mmCIF file of all heavy atoms in Angstrom:
data_model
loop_
_atom_site.group_PDB
_atom_site.id
_atom_site.type_symbol
_atom_site.label_atom_id
_atom_site.label_comp_id
_atom_site.label_asym_id
_atom_site.label_seq_id
_atom_site.Cartn_x
_atom_site.Cartn_y
_atom_site.Cartn_z
ATOM 1 N N GLY A 67 7.603 -2.662 -6.823
ATOM 2 C CA GLY A 67 8.341 -2.483 -7.975
ATOM 3 C C GLY A 67 9.759 -1.947 -7.698
ATOM 4 O O GLY A 67 10.743 -2.511 -8.168
ATOM 5 N N HIS A 68 9.917 -1.016 -6.688
ATOM 6 C CA HIS A 68 11.124 -0.513 -6.392
ATOM 7 C C HIS A 68 12.000 -1.582 -5.608
ATOM 8 O O HIS A 68 13.169 -1.549 -5.726
ATOM 9 C CB HIS A 68 10.988 0.707 -5.487
ATOM 10 C CG HIS A 68 10.713 1.917 -6.250
ATOM 11 N ND1 HIS A 68 9.623 2.228 -6.889
ATOM 12 C CD2 HIS A 68 11.519 2.993 -6.567
ATOM 13 C CE1 HIS A 68 9.592 3.381 -7.467
ATOM 14 N NE2 HIS A 68 10.759 3.948 -7.323
ATOM 15 N N LEU A 69 11.292 -2.416 -4.807
ATOM 16 C CA LEU A 69 12.074 -3.453 -4.145
ATOM 17 C C LEU A 69 12.565 -4.507 -5.137
ATOM 18 O O LEU A 69 13.759 -4.908 -5.024
ATOM 19 C CB LEU A 69 11.144 -4.182 -3.166
ATOM 20 C CG LEU A 69 10.836 -3.474 -1.858
ATOM 21 C CD1 LEU A 69 9.858 -4.159 -1.060
ATOM 22 C CD2 LEU A 69 12.127 -3.315 -1.028
ATOM 23 N N LYS A 70 11.764 -4.808 -6.094
ATOM 24 C CA LYS A 70 12.282 -5.817 -7.149
ATOM 25 C C LYS A 70 13.411 -5.214 -7.954
ATOM 26 O O LYS A 70 14.357 -5.945 -8.237
ATOM 27 C CB LYS A 70 11.051 -6.160 -7.996
ATOM 28 C CG LYS A 70 10.091 -7.134 -7.393
ATOM 29 C CD LYS A 70 9.023 -7.596 -8.285
ATOM 30 C CE LYS A 70 7.962 -8.494 -7.677
ATOM 31 N NZ LYS A 70 8.695 -9.703 -7.168
ATOM 32 N N ILE A 71 13.273 -3.919 -8.295
ATOM 33 C CA ILE A 71 14.431 -3.313 -9.047
ATOM 34 C C ILE A 71 15.700 -3.287 -8.212
ATOM 35 O O ILE A 71 16.797 -3.620 -8.670
ATOM 36 C CB ILE A 71 14.032 -1.851 -9.440
ATOM 37 C CG1 ILE A 71 12.828 -1.908 -10.393
ATOM 38 C CG2 ILE A 71 15.195 -1.137 -9.975
ATOM 39 C CD1 ILE A 71 12.329 -0.521 -10.709
ATOM 40 N N THR A 72 15.569 -2.868 -6.940
ATOM 41 C CA THR A 72 16.704 -2.848 -6.083
ATOM 42 C C THR A 72 17.292 -4.225 -5.828
ATOM 43 O O THR A 72 18.580 -4.368 -5.787
ATOM 44 C CB THR A 72 16.329 -2.204 -4.693
ATOM 45 O OG1 THR A 72 15.691 -1.079 -4.843
ATOM 46 C CG2 THR A 72 17.598 -2.079 -3.801
ATOM 47 N N GLU A 73 16.440 -5.266 -5.666
ATOM 48 C CA GLU A 73 16.942 -6.557 -5.512
ATOM 49 C C GLU A 73 17.641 -6.981 -6.721
ATOM 50 O O GLU A 73 18.812 -7.708 -6.673
ATOM 51 C CB GLU A 73 15.782 -7.547 -5.211
ATOM 52 C CG GLU A 73 15.171 -7.330 -3.832
ATOM 53 C CD GLU A 73 13.755 -7.931 -3.698
ATOM 54 O OE1 GLU A 73 13.232 -8.345 -4.745
ATOM 55 O OE2 GLU A 73 13.171 -7.834 -2.632
ATOM 56 N N GLY A 74 17.142 -6.703 -7.973
ATOM 57 C CA GLY A 74 17.827 -7.155 -9.106
ATOM 58 C C GLY A 74 19.148 -6.426 -9.350
ATOM 59 O O GLY A 74 20.134 -7.108 -9.784
ATOM 60 N N LEU A 75 19.269 -5.190 -8.959
ATOM 61 C CA LEU A 75 20.538 -4.447 -9.014
ATOM 62 C C LEU A 75 21.578 -5.023 -8.073
ATOM 63 O O LEU A 75 22.825 -4.998 -8.228
ATOM 64 C CB LEU A 75 20.432 -2.986 -8.705
ATOM 65 C CG LEU A 75 19.627 -2.187 -9.801
ATOM 66 C CD1 LEU A 75 19.330 -0.814 -9.375
ATOM 67 C CD2 LEU A 75 20.460 -2.181 -11.152
ATOM 68 N N MET A 76 21.159 -5.496 -6.916
ATOM 69 C CA MET A 76 22.000 -6.174 -5.955
ATOM 70 C C MET A 76 22.199 -7.629 -6.183
ATOM 71 O O MET A 76 22.924 -8.286 -5.463
ATOM 72 C CB MET A 76 21.485 -5.929 -4.557
ATOM 73 C CG MET A 76 21.518 -4.425 -4.149
ATOM 74 S SD MET A 76 21.273 -4.233 -2.336
ATOM 75 C CE MET A 76 19.552 -4.844 -2.164
ATOM 76 N N GLY A 77 21.649 -8.143 -7.290
ATOM 77 C CA GLY A 77 21.922 -9.587 -7.630
ATOM 78 C C GLY A 77 21.062 -10.610 -6.873
ATOM 79 O O GLY A 77 21.490 -11.818 -6.746
ATOM 80 N N ILE A 78 20.019 -10.072 -6.216
ATOM 81 C CA ILE A 78 19.199 -10.896 -5.378
ATOM 82 C C ILE A 78 18.054 -11.488 -6.377
ATOM 83 O O ILE A 78 17.411 -10.689 -7.043
ATOM 84 C CB ILE A 78 18.507 -10.158 -4.249
ATOM 85 C CG1 ILE A 78 19.665 -9.612 -3.334
ATOM 86 C CG2 ILE A 78 17.561 -11.076 -3.435
ATOM 87 C CD1 ILE A 78 19.149 -8.630 -2.233
ATOM 88 N N PRO A 79 17.873 -12.808 -6.400
ATOM 89 C CA PRO A 79 16.831 -13.353 -7.236
ATOM 90 C C PRO A 79 15.388 -12.857 -6.808
ATOM 91 O O PRO A 79 14.948 -13.228 -5.761
ATOM 92 C CB PRO A 79 16.893 -14.884 -7.081
ATOM 93 C CG PRO A 79 17.600 -15.065 -5.792
ATOM 94 C CD PRO A 79 18.541 -13.816 -5.566
ATOM 95 N N VAL A 80 14.671 -12.118 -7.635
ATOM 96 C CA VAL A 80 13.498 -11.413 -7.322
ATOM 97 C C VAL A 80 12.308 -12.502 -7.122
ATOM 98 O O VAL A 80 11.305 -12.141 -6.425
ATOM 99 C CB VAL A 80 13.024 -10.338 -8.243
ATOM 100 C CG1 VAL A 80 14.057 -9.227 -8.383
ATOM 101 C CG2 VAL A 80 12.816 -10.947 -9.648
ATOM 102 N N ALA A 159 5.741 -11.932 -11.322
ATOM 103 C CA ALA A 159 6.790 -11.378 -10.584
ATOM 104 C C ALA A 159 7.898 -10.778 -11.414
ATOM 105 O O ALA A 159 8.847 -10.161 -10.963
ATOM 106 C CB ALA A 159 7.379 -12.300 -9.643
ATOM 107 N N SER A 160 7.735 -10.910 -12.719
ATOM 108 C CA SER A 160 8.728 -10.475 -13.704
ATOM 109 C C SER A 160 8.970 -8.955 -13.706
ATOM 110 O O SER A 160 7.953 -8.208 -13.515
ATOM 111 C CB SER A 160 8.315 -10.890 -15.151
ATOM 112 O OG SER A 160 9.118 -10.125 -16.071
ATOM 113 N N LEU A 161 10.222 -8.493 -13.822
ATOM 114 C CA LEU A 161 10.513 -7.070 -13.984
ATOM 115 C C LEU A 161 9.930 -6.420 -15.121
ATOM 116 O O LEU A 161 9.613 -5.151 -15.205
ATOM 117 C CB LEU A 161 12.014 -6.892 -13.826
ATOM 118 C CG LEU A 161 12.642 -7.136 -12.516
ATOM 119 C CD1 LEU A 161 14.174 -6.844 -12.600
ATOM 120 C CD2 LEU A 161 12.111 -6.142 -11.435
ATOM 121 N N TRP A 162 9.603 -7.160 -16.247
ATOM 122 C CA TRP A 162 8.903 -6.601 -17.375
ATOM 123 C C TRP A 162 7.548 -6.164 -16.978
ATOM 124 O O TRP A 162 7.112 -5.092 -17.470
ATOM 125 C CB TRP A 162 8.945 -7.679 -18.550
ATOM 126 C CG TRP A 162 10.140 -7.927 -19.130
ATOM 127 C CD1 TRP A 162 10.923 -9.069 -18.983
ATOM 128 C CD2 TRP A 162 10.910 -7.216 -20.112
ATOM 129 N NE1 TRP A 162 12.073 -9.028 -19.703
ATOM 130 C CE2 TRP A 162 12.057 -7.924 -20.507
ATOM 131 C CE3 TRP A 162 10.580 -5.929 -20.698
ATOM 132 C CZ2 TRP A 162 13.013 -7.405 -21.376
ATOM 133 C CZ3 TRP A 162 11.570 -5.337 -21.610
ATOM 134 C CH2 TRP A 162 12.656 -6.000 -21.954
ATOM 135 N N VAL A 164 6.705 -5.294 -14.057
ATOM 136 C CA VAL A 164 6.850 -4.117 -13.131
ATOM 137 C C VAL A 164 6.936 -2.850 -13.986
ATOM 138 O O VAL A 164 6.269 -1.813 -13.641
ATOM 139 C CB VAL A 164 8.122 -4.298 -12.187
ATOM 140 C CG1 VAL A 164 8.365 -3.002 -11.536
ATOM 141 C CG2 VAL A 164 7.904 -5.455 -11.228
ATOM 142 N N ALA A 165 7.826 -2.893 -14.980
ATOM 143 C CA ALA A 165 8.075 -1.767 -15.858
ATOM 144 C C ALA A 165 6.806 -1.259 -16.570
ATOM 145 O O ALA A 165 6.440 -0.051 -16.601
ATOM 146 C CB ALA A 165 9.135 -2.067 -16.909
ATOM 147 N N LEU A 168 4.253 0.250 -14.019
ATOM 148 C CA LEU A 168 4.622 1.528 -13.635
ATOM 149 C C LEU A 168 4.158 2.596 -14.607
ATOM 150 O O LEU A 168 3.511 3.700 -14.223
ATOM 151 C CB LEU A 168 6.183 1.698 -13.407
ATOM 152 C CG LEU A 168 6.800 1.170 -12.211
ATOM 153 C CD1 LEU A 168 8.221 1.112 -12.391
ATOM 154 C CD2 LEU A 168 6.447 2.134 -11.014
ATOM 155 N N VAL A 302 11.014 5.998 -14.257
ATOM 156 C CA VAL A 302 11.473 4.641 -13.625
ATOM 157 C C VAL A 302 11.118 3.606 -14.549
ATOM 158 O O VAL A 302 11.953 2.713 -14.831
ATOM 159 C CB VAL A 302 10.971 4.549 -12.261
ATOM 160 C CG1 VAL A 302 11.357 3.140 -11.721
ATOM 161 C CG2 VAL A 302 11.546 5.610 -11.307
ATOM 162 N N GLY A 303 9.870 3.498 -15.140
ATOM 163 C CA GLY A 303 9.461 2.535 -15.953
ATOM 164 C C GLY A 303 10.275 2.439 -17.261
ATOM 165 O O GLY A 303 10.638 1.306 -17.668
ATOM 166 N N LEU A 304 10.488 3.548 -17.890
ATOM 167 C CA LEU A 304 11.327 3.580 -19.096
ATOM 168 C C LEU A 304 12.781 3.133 -18.760
ATOM 169 O O LEU A 304 13.417 2.416 -19.590
ATOM 170 C CB LEU A 304 11.303 5.003 -19.582
ATOM 171 C CG LEU A 304 9.994 5.445 -20.228
ATOM 172 C CD1 LEU A 304 10.080 6.972 -20.684
ATOM 173 C CD2 LEU A 304 9.527 4.615 -21.428
ATOM 174 N N LEU A 305 13.415 3.571 -17.656
ATOM 175 C CA LEU A 305 14.714 3.195 -17.198
ATOM 176 C C LEU A 305 14.732 1.662 -17.087
ATOM 177 O O LEU A 305 15.593 1.079 -17.503
ATOM 178 C CB LEU A 305 15.121 3.989 -15.960
ATOM 179 C CG LEU A 305 16.434 3.561 -15.342
ATOM 180 C CD1 LEU A 305 17.560 3.760 -16.303
ATOM 181 C CD2 LEU A 305 16.717 4.173 -14.028
ATOM 182 N N LEU A 306 13.711 1.138 -16.387
ATOM 183 C CA LEU A 306 13.742 -0.309 -16.197
ATOM 184 C C LEU A 306 13.657 -1.089 -17.508
ATOM 185 O O LEU A 306 14.355 -2.086 -17.686
ATOM 186 C CB LEU A 306 12.564 -0.649 -15.268
ATOM 187 C CG LEU A 306 12.433 -2.014 -14.863
ATOM 188 C CD1 LEU A 306 13.649 -2.671 -14.241
ATOM 189 C CD2 LEU A 306 11.296 -2.308 -13.917
ATOM 190 N N PHE A 307 12.811 -0.591 -18.389
ATOM 191 C CA PHE A 307 12.698 -1.260 -19.737
ATOM 192 C C PHE A 307 14.099 -1.283 -20.397
ATOM 193 O O PHE A 307 14.594 -2.197 -20.993
ATOM 194 C CB PHE A 307 11.726 -0.500 -20.667
ATOM 195 C CG PHE A 307 10.349 -0.938 -20.475
ATOM 196 C CD1 PHE A 307 9.249 -0.205 -20.404
ATOM 197 C CD2 PHE A 307 10.083 -2.390 -20.630
ATOM 198 C CE1 PHE A 307 8.023 -0.681 -20.237
ATOM 199 C CE2 PHE A 307 8.759 -2.855 -20.611
ATOM 200 C CZ PHE A 307 7.732 -2.036 -20.397
ATOM 201 N N GLY A 308 14.854 -0.049 -20.279
ATOM 202 C CA GLY A 308 16.208 0.077 -20.887
ATOM 203 C C GLY A 308 17.192 -0.890 -20.245
ATOM 204 O O GLY A 308 17.954 -1.565 -20.935
ATOM 205 N N LEU A 309 17.096 -0.970 -18.921
ATOM 206 C CA LEU A 309 18.065 -1.832 -18.143
ATOM 207 C C LEU A 309 17.819 -3.391 -18.458
ATOM 208 O O LEU A 309 18.699 -4.129 -18.760
ATOM 209 C CB LEU A 309 17.973 -1.702 -16.662
ATOM 210 C CG LEU A 309 18.461 -0.342 -16.160
ATOM 211 C CD1 LEU A 309 18.063 -0.204 -14.641
ATOM 212 C CD2 LEU A 309 20.013 -0.214 -16.398
ATOM 213 N N LEU A 310 16.521 -3.771 -18.643
ATOM 214 C CA LEU A 310 16.234 -5.095 -19.111
ATOM 215 C C LEU A 310 16.560 -5.400 -20.432
ATOM 216 O O LEU A 310 17.123 -6.419 -20.827
ATOM 217 C CB LEU A 310 14.623 -5.289 -18.831
ATOM 218 C CG LEU A 310 14.178 -5.393 -17.429
ATOM 219 C CD1 LEU A 310 12.595 -5.333 -17.410
ATOM 220 C CD2 LEU A 310 14.651 -6.645 -16.729
ATOM 221 N N GLY A 311 16.329 -4.396 -21.341
ATOM 222 C CA GLY A 311 16.627 -4.557 -22.737
ATOM 223 C C GLY A 311 18.123 -4.670 -22.975
ATOM 224 O O GLY A 311 18.556 -5.451 -23.913
ATOM 225 N N ALA A 312 18.907 -3.970 -22.230
ATOM 226 C CA ALA A 312 20.300 -3.991 -22.359
ATOM 227 C C ALA A 312 21.024 -5.084 -21.675
ATOM 228 O O ALA A 312 22.183 -5.419 -21.792
ATOM 229 C CB ALA A 312 20.895 -2.649 -21.764
ATOM 230 N N GLY A 313 20.207 -5.892 -20.917
ATOM 231 C CA GLY A 313 20.744 -7.074 -20.227
ATOM 232 C C GLY A 313 21.336 -6.672 -18.904
ATOM 233 O O GLY A 313 21.980 -7.637 -18.217
ATOM 234 N N VAL A 314 21.327 -5.521 -18.454
ATOM 235 C CA VAL A 314 21.877 -5.127 -17.121
ATOM 236 C C VAL A 314 21.119 -5.822 -16.067
ATOM 237 O O VAL A 314 21.739 -6.171 -14.965
ATOM 238 C CB VAL A 314 21.867 -3.635 -16.930
ATOM 239 C CG1 VAL A 314 22.361 -3.196 -15.558
ATOM 240 C CG2 VAL A 314 22.662 -2.911 -18.099
ATOM 241 N N LEU A 315 19.898 -5.995 -16.117
ATOM 242 C CA LEU A 315 18.988 -6.634 -15.131
ATOM 243 C C LEU A 315 18.417 -7.836 -15.853
ATOM 244 O O LEU A 315 18.028 -7.828 -16.982
ATOM 245 C CB LEU A 315 17.911 -5.704 -14.595
ATOM 246 C CG LEU A 315 18.363 -4.598 -13.658
ATOM 247 C CD1 LEU A 315 17.110 -3.781 -13.301
ATOM 248 C CD2 LEU A 315 18.941 -5.240 -12.446
ATOM 249 N N GLU A 316 18.147 -8.957 -15.088
ATOM 250 C CA GLU A 316 17.366 -10.045 -15.474
ATOM 251 C C GLU A 316 15.979 -10.000 -15.056
ATOM 252 O O GLU A 316 15.683 -9.639 -13.965
ATOM 253 C CB GLU A 316 18.107 -11.394 -15.078
ATOM 254 C CG GLU A 316 19.483 -11.614 -15.560
ATOM 255 C CD GLU A 316 19.985 -12.945 -15.158
ATOM 256 O OE1 GLU A 316 19.366 -13.652 -14.412
ATOM 257 O OE2 GLU A 316 21.221 -13.187 -15.520
ATOM 258 N N SER A 317 15.065 -10.298 -15.921
ATOM 259 C CA SER A 317 13.644 -10.193 -15.518
ATOM 260 C C SER A 317 13.201 -11.120 -14.422
ATOM 261 O O SER A 317 12.201 -10.837 -13.785
ATOM 262 C CB SER A 317 12.777 -10.390 -16.728
ATOM 263 O OG SER A 317 12.852 -11.810 -17.283
#
Side-chain angles (χ1 to χ4, degrees):
H68 280 73
L69 284 172
K70 289 184 179 296
I71 293 169
T72 306
E73 289 161 358
L75 290 173
M76 291 194 295
I78 300 171
V80 299
S160 168
L161 288 177
W162 289 105
V164 172
L168 278 166
V302 173
L304 292 175
L305 175 62
L306 182 54
F307 271 130
L309 293 173
L310 289 169
V314 177
L315 288 177
E316 295 183 2
S317 64

